[in-house]
Amino acid sequence: MPSVGTKAGTNAIAAPTDDKRWRVVDATMRRHGYRPAALIEALHSVQESFGCLDEPGLQYVAASLGVPLSRVFGVATFYHYFSLKPQGDHTCVVCTGTACYIKESPALLRAIEAEFGIANGETTPDGSLSLLTARCLGTCGLAPAAVLDGDVAGRLQPAELLERLHQLVGAAKEVAAR
């Protein structure tokens, strides 16, 4: 990690690397005046720029905003949206809220685990699919529901969900092969 030094007139420190994506993160923190209240916005910026919140990113945000690293880690692990590990090319978020649970969302998770060999919070070895769960998607009328690459799919049966996932992953592999 490069040396850490305070930028003149700000709380900002030198970015962990010379990666230009840190400029986006810096711009977000600067827009909020490097105030501790900008923590969630800064974490969103890091995750959108790098795909996850790794340790150097958490340390950088903590030092730039003058927030204890323990608080930054606490926020990063409290909110389900944030991820400390890189995600796959595609993401499937299965709702485990009460309505979805009663309508057999655990069967969806078992089917994905059996078909792709991944459990909640894991990514396939080829990096094509990540499986996550959410406490509630707020789509109880569509139970059981899942979010596939940002699109909500409801009243899912395991076979239908697996077919959709194979289409997502397969389409990405076809594009990559071209």
Side-chain angles (χ1 to χ4, degrees):
M1 175 185 276
S3 65
V4 175
T6 303
K7 291 179 182 174
T10 69
N11 292 334
I13 62 168
T17 65
D18 60 355
D19 191 316
K20 292 182 179 179
R21 291 177 288 182
W22 288 114
R23 293 180 186 172
V24 174
V25 176
D26 271 336
T28 300
M29 292 189 291
R30 186 175 44 252
R31 187 173 53 248
H32 292 278
Y34 293 99
R35 290 174 293 146
L39 177 57
I40 291 178
E41 286 297 322
L43 292 177
H44 275 288
S45 182
V46 172
Q47 181 154 310
E48 288 171 10
S49 298
F50 294 95
C52 68
L53 302 174
D54 61 1
E55 187 176 334
L58 295 176
Q59 291 174 342
Y60 180 60
V61 168
S64 295
L65 299 179
V67 175
L69 182 59
S70 60
R71 182 170 164 208
V72 174
F73 184 77
V75 170
T77 56
F78 178 79
Y79 290 104
H80 193 270
Y81 174 80
F82 295 126
S83 175
L84 302 178
K85 295 185 288 187
Q87 299 296 301
D89 297 333
H90 300 281
T91 304
C92 175
V93 181
V94 175
C95 181
T96 58
T98 303
C100 288
Y101 188 85
I102 290 171
K103 295 279 189 169
E104 288 297 321
S105 64
L108 300 176
L109 293 169
R110 287 191 300 271
I112 294 170
E113 186 171 353
E115 185 75 14
F116 292 95
I118 56 173
N120 179 26
E122 294 180 348
T123 300
T124 55
D126 65 356
S128 62
L129 179 66
S130 291
L131 175 62
L132 302 169
T133 60
R135 294 271 180 211
C136 183
L137 296 175
T139 57
C140 302
L142 298 175
V147 178
L148 309 174
D149 284 348
D151 295 326
V152 176
R155 298 185 182 97
L156 290 168
Q157 297 298 314
E160 178 187 4
L161 177 58
L162 293 178
E163 183 180 327
R164 287 183 177 207
L165 290 174
H166 279 294
Q167 288 173 349
L168 281 176
V169 173
K173 287 182 179 174
E174 287 178 18
V175 170
R178 292 181 195 168

